[in-house]
Amino acid sequence: MNQTMLDALADRLELGLMGKNCPVRVVGGGQSERVVRLNLSPGPGTTVAALERLHKDIALLLGAPIGDVTIGQDGGMVTVDVWQESSRIVRLSPL
């Protein structure tokens, strides 16, 4: 995913959550082979609990399956991780 696509993803998330009366600002993030992380700065009245309640809406805004989006905290930041489809864990059965 290039920088233009990441910026568009961040804009889509900010606008979509603003429409849900849950304003956030994407203030950074990162990308690896397995995950795209967006660091959010919640606006006034926006809590982690409110973002967790909007989990399905966030997944829809990001165009990701619900199970591939996790919401958490890292220090003072709220994080949204979008796991890449190619990084699914393969479980092996016992021999």
Side-chain angles (χ1 to χ4, degrees):
M1 194 175 287
N2 63 35
Q3 189 62 44
T4 304
M5 292 172 72
L6 290 172
D7 290 342
L9 195 67
D11 291 344
R12 193 173 344 145
L13 183 63
E14 288 178 357
L15 289 172
L17 289 176
M18 179 72 71
K20 300 280 185 186
N21 294 321
C22 200
V24 298
R25 180 103 176 117
V26 177
V27 293
Q31 178 180 358
S32 71
E33 292 177 10
R34 298 184 67 184
V35 68
V36 173
R37 172 170 280 186
L38 300 172
N39 296 326
L40 309 181
S41 176
T46 302
T47 63
V48 175
L51 291 171
E52 287 173 342
R53 282 192 301 274
L54 292 172
H55 179 258
K56 291 179 182 177
D57 296 295
I58 290 171
L60 184 64
L61 288 167
L62 299 177
I66 294 168
D68 290 349
V69 175
T70 57
I71 299 168
Q73 286 185 283
D74 186 9
M77 285 287 143
V78 177
T79 61
V80 175
D81 293 336
V82 182
W83 295 88
Q84 302 301 308
E85 191 168 323
S86 61
S87 68
R88 297 213 196 283
I89 296 173
V90 176
R91 303 229 185 261
L92 302 176
S93 59
L95 296 175

